[in-house]
Amino acid sequence: MNAVIDALLAFAVLTAWLGTLAFLRLRTQFERLHVITFVNIAAGAAITLAAVLHDGLSGRTFKCIFIWIVIASAGALLSHATSRALHLREGERR
């Protein structure tokens, strides 16, 4: 079981590094927003699943799941708002 948890945590770290490289490689702000969302969902899911496998179903695990859902929802809302602001700013420059 510990090997699976270690693999999930390693996947979360790998996802963060992959997101960093992609963030540096992509050109536009809109493409970079997708990278942030990818890291938020993939790494958050891996860490939450590792917590569930480590503790089983407990109060702490439900808190981790709730926090991940809140972060994913807030990340989607912030990504949308940021994209809208960038779109409006690009329109003003033309």
Side-chain angles (χ1 to χ4, degrees):
M1 185 64 79
N2 286 337
V4 175
I5 293 170
D6 291 343
L8 285 169
L9 295 176
F11 176 75
V13 171
L14 180 68
T15 302
W17 278 109
L18 180 66
T20 301
L21 294 174
F23 192 83
L24 294 173
R25 170 116 168 61
L26 296 174
R27 300 278 182 223
T28 67
Q29 300 95 338
F30 298 108
E31 292 173 341
R32 289 177 177 169
L33 283 174
H34 287 90
V35 173
I36 295 167
T37 304
F38 166 72
V39 172
N40 190 13
I41 298 299
I47 292 170
T48 303
L49 185 57
V52 170
L53 290 176
H54 184 267
D55 285 349
L57 292 178
S58 65
R60 184 167 44 180
T61 310
F62 287 119
K63 288 178 190 177
C64 289
I65 293 169
F66 177 73
I67 289 170
W68 179 58
I69 290 170
V70 168
I71 288 173
S73 301
L77 292 172
L78 287 172
S79 179
H80 177 74
T82 304
S83 177
R84 175 85 173 136
L86 288 171
H87 182 69
L88 290 175
R89 190 164 103 187
E90 289 292 322
E92 290 176 1
R93 290 184 181 174
R94 293 180 187 172

